[in-house]
Amino acid sequence: MALFKVISGRLYQAFLLLVVMSLIGFVGIHSVGNPVYNIVNIETATPDDIRRATELLGLDQPLWRQYLVFVQNLATGSFGTSYIYHLPAFELVLSKLSATIELAAFAILIAAAAGTGLGLLAGTRPGTLVDRMVVIVTVYALSVPSFWLSMMLVLFGAVMTGWFPSGGRGSTVDLFGWEWSFLTADGLKHLVLPVLALAIPNIALIARLARAGTVEVQRADFVRFCLAKGLSDRHILFRHTLPNISLPIVTIVGLQFGGMLAFAMVVESIFAWPGVGKLLIDSIQLLDRPVVMATLTFVAITFVALNAIVDLLYAVLDPRVRISA
Amino acid sequence: MTIMTSLRLSQRRIRGALTLPNGILALFVLAAITAPVLAPQNPYDMLQILGWEASSPPGTMSGNGYRYLLGTDGLGRDIASCILYGLRISLVVSVVSAAAAAAIGLTLGVVAAYFGRWVDAVIMRAVDLQLSLPTMLVALIAIVTLGPGVDRIILALIIVQWATYARVVRSVALSEAGKPYVDAVRTMPLSHGRIILRHLLPNSIAPAITLLPIEIGHAVALEATLSFLGLGVPMDQPSLGSTVANGFQYLLTGQYWISLFPGFALFALIAAINFAGEDIRRLWDPRSRSL
Amino acid sequence: MKFSARLQSASLRAAAAAVILLAGSAIPATAQQLRIATSYKLMTLDPHFSTLNENTSLLSHIFERLVYQDEKLNLQPGLATSWTRVSDTRWEFKLRQNVRFHDGSAFTADDVVYTIERIRSFLKPPSGGFQAYTKAIASVSAPDPATVVIETEGSQPTLPLSLSAIFIMHRGSEGFATTEALNAATSLVGTGPYRFKAWRSGETLELTRNDDYWGGRPSWSEVTFRIVESPAARVAALATGDVDIADFIPARDVETVRQRGAKVESVPAARLNFLQFELGKETAPGVTDKSGKAIANPFRDARVRKALSMAVDRSVIVDKILSGYGTAAAQFFPNGLAGTSSNLTPQPARYDEAKALLADAGFPDGFKVVLNGPAGRYPGDGETLQAVAQSWARIGVAVQPVGVSFSVFNTKRGAGEYGVWYGGCSGEAVDVCLEAVLKTPDAATGAGALNYGQYSNSAYDGMLEKARATDAGPARDKALAEVTDFVMRDEPIIPLYHFHHIFGYGPHVAAYVMHPRGWTTAMQATPAAN
């Protein structure tokens, strides 16, 4: 019963979020301009052509009626057709999904592993040079704006050394109906720089969390007791430290993974990585409203769902935690 | 807390503040304030820009009688001057938006905690909505809807930031509102406004202050990112972010100076703010010292 | 035991598959394969959806036109081998024989009829761009499989030019094909040198050689277009050898591309970028005196327009912003192309003279304007707004440059929110721009489609109509040049520059023939001898 209440509360919140966001997104895109100019050849089309095209897309209707039509379509599971690409909008978003997922997944896996490792390295030796270095370097790493980091990676990793391609996805392989880059050597090479750009700030974030947790655990009485009992460092690390610091790390991994779906916009744009983030930026520029709405909805649902999953994991990992709506 | 311990603490605070990053931060602020004096060129004044001296490498002499220490951009703007003036925009935008967001968040957080019930429910539902989306996405939607301009960016950043303050302040104010002294004050014939202003607010302000520098750092980065995406400041008033963005096109051609130097300035500014934020947190909030 | 054996063989198979995958991707591009990074995002597979290069450039591999415009903008036989004007309103096209569509069926006059009917009566907006080319057609018929007869509304001396824009589709068995059906199709049937293989919207278009092509075996066995909208990313892709050709290289990147061993070709574009004024209204939006008070529209005074034109330093735009890959302009097409005037040459900036002229017109202290334009649409557009701001500051005109995305720009320009703005015009021939930008707007005929400032000059309108009614040839070119001379004296627009199309290509390509219309095709590239 409690679980039901939690779930229904969450669903209600997600629903509210979607309504508010769709309204703002709808009004926002509408106020910016008319997408028809991206479709017709402005240099040959007459004002009459433009008017007719606007009517055909239903953009001459009052905004509230357009929104109503949008909601009606949504009820039948359709976000409408992309103005630019003439494909169903949600299908278009889904087709870009694998690119973003593989980017974010690799970045978060690397960040979790490297971050935890660095955090443990520093946290088990508080006050040493290694610790100080980790603390300082992570502040720097968290201070680099992601577009600047991406540009520097392009400059050093691609332009100056020629080690990696500067953009694009490389060759892909079809698996479960989606295209994946990481299954080919060429695709992997294309993945390196954008993954690094996404992973580096997260390595720092996770390292700091892991370090703080480790320091706390090391100070805790039970660890001193374990040491006194003569248990090995290894034993303490795997049986006590890791389980204790895993909670905040799981949280941040979940949240950051969701954030990447949105934050990857910048990285995807710079590396010309054809993912959901780049689609969103492009569609906003082109005023392709169906695609913008589909992308926003998708990102919001994913974000909310990930938050919920993180909370559930929390409850599993730490029985003291009670989930609330 | 005796007078002696608090004195010792404040001494430690002062000494703790005299670090290298804080010194750099102070220099940045000073440079931003004195930019019109320091900068050889006002990059926002069309008459001072010599178009035919565009893309000059660092060290070139200008026809206006000074040296382009860090070179010029694709339109002839002096990069060093652009950095100084860009610092002004970055700092003004981030400090103003963070301060305004803190004020709004503080007020709403305290009000929510004090009145409880439907007031609390409405405010916190809005906070939840706001925080259940990535900040970058909220900022993007806000700026697209609001349109370009420095004032619009500030507005967008306030929209992005207020909720964090509200949530943190509410939780502190909630525990504060439950304390006996507030109950005692409530029995007196004082207006709600007075109780909030005189009693609850001063006691709930600490978390907002520790949050401020972090959020200023975020705001600098967000402003730069929005400008980088071409959604921010006007084209004739480049900020650090848009100067870096303009230079991106030139980066691959060997005209590294256009985006390299402003990028480093941006990076150093955010790092300095973050280090200063760490210091503030360490000194004001002993619980988070281990972080 | 059994289970582990099965597991073993499964993992073996997986490993083998992985090896094959890796090997497959490791094959270097052979001389027969062509990889192109293009800025043209193919929006749809419907060849009649949009007349933008974005669509037509890539689709011209699959579909062909009756008439083809060569790199001098002269007409050449395409699917039609010859055409004659039988009478004032009647044209006859002889079709090429032994042409087959990709599905093996023969190309006949019936397919031409189908194509024109599809554009005229089936397609609805927004796919209306092509109707501009068929508007003059009264009827089309096929007296025999090799002949098409077209009746026009009134005299249409440039009908073949109009047809050089139209891709011929095959008449299917099930009525007219919809745009949606074409987009979803797994095959596209044209007569072109390359066959459709795969399309990922906004990402790639893959083509294979059409071995039965009537014009002989095409040079490349496989052609892959990668859609890369960021110019920097295209440059990087070419520089690192990821692609063999990259189109629309930014001028500033030419040196880098050369240093990396790639070759560069360029050609002045058959187009003009210019500044245009609001002339119809008593006040111009965004124009005030120096203190911010509204003033009467200053642009209605030809002296003001002339002063502003004189005060533009085109050499900064051409040499600095476009790094030399641009030509300062005084008329619509670069000097020398058909229909241009040799009397019009761009002048260097003359600030003192301009300031005096401005004072003469009643603005000794100048005024304030908001200069609007698209940013990121044309080479150098955003930077040009700022360069003009620098120039005009010298004669006391304070400019606030505002660059926005192209669709926003068009929305606001169409709504009359601008006082002065940066525009562009291109076309099959110079008279297309003369008609679109400067003729008095007329919704019925479609004239003045780009004349957002409501410039109106009846003497010019009459001269242009006469020139356009002249048969193609030197007389027509001369008349168009005279019309241009006449109208530019009134300074209706400020011509800025003709940018150059710049393409780069790597070692697998021996030569690339540039086209002033800015097309990107595999047909323009010759493979390097292996």
Side-chain angles (χ1 to χ4, degrees), chain B residues 52 54 75 77 249 252-253, chain C residues 232 252-253 256 320 386 390:
Chain B
W52 56 91
L75 289 162
R77 288 184 289 229
Q249 314 157 336
L252 307 173
T253 71
Chain C
R252 57 179 167 268
D253 290 329
T256 322
K320 283 294 177 179
Q386 304 188 64
Q390 291 174 16

Side-chain angles (χ1 to χ4, degrees), chain B residues 20 24 38 91 103-104 111 118 136 149 183 200 239-240 248:
Chain B
L20 185 67
I24 293 176
L38 278 184
L91 281 173
I104 295 171
V111 165
W118 68 269
M136 185 61 215
D183 281 338
L200 217 44
S239 71
L240 285 178
F248 179 41

Side-chain angles (χ1 to χ4, degrees), chain A residues 131-148:
Chain A
D131 181 42
R132 302 277 316 143
M133 287 297 289
V134 168
V135 169
I136 291 177
V137 169
T138 50
V139 173
Y140 282 119
L142 283 171
S143 301
V144 198
S146 91
F147 66 88
W148 170 243

Side-chain angles (χ1 to χ4, degrees), chain C residues 12 74 309:
Chain C
L12 260 178
N74 296 323
S309 182

Side-chain angles (χ1 to χ4, degrees), chain B residues 118-133:
Chain B
W118 68 269
V119 178
D120 188 33
V122 167
I123 293 176
M124 291 327 283
R125 186 77 344 132
V127 168
D128 284 343
L129 278 183
Q130 173 86 74
L131 293 181
S132 56
L133 282 176

